Amino acid sequence: MADGVNKFLGDTPGRTIIKLIVVCLVVGFVLTFWGFTPNNIIGEIRYWFHDLWMNGFQALGKIGNYLVLGAIIVIPIFVILRLMSYRR
């Protein structure tokens, strides 16, 4: 089983944990340098999901409009091209 865990993690569990801690520290330093905090990031994620929920249905309506508009052009061209290739 240890070989399976090592294969999944790419290294031993101890070394993988140390690598993850180092990467987390570097990324945390860079994000702090740019002015991000955990509260900012969590708040933005919550806002994104809320905005998606509130405006998602409007976006689906717009996608439907785009689909119909494109179909008005694409479907007749497709049918014409199929009819022209059918004659050969």
Side-chain angles (χ1 to χ4, degrees), residues 6-57:
N6 290 351
K7 188 174 181 180
F8 175 73
L9 294 176
D11 207 348
T12 63
R15 293 182 82 178
T16 302
I17 290 171
I18 291 171
K19 290 176 186 178
L20 288 173
I21 289 172
V22 170
V23 170
C24 287
L25 284 172
V26 170
V27 170
F29 174 76
V30 170
L31 289 175
T32 301
F33 180 76
W34 286 338
F36 291 101
T37 64
N39 289 336
N40 289 355
I41 293 173
I42 292 171
E44 286 297 321
I45 291 171
R46 286 181 57 225
Y47 173 75
W48 183 79
F49 278 111
H50 181 265
D51 190 46
L52 179 67
W53 179 259
M54 298 306 287
N55 296 324
F57 297 111

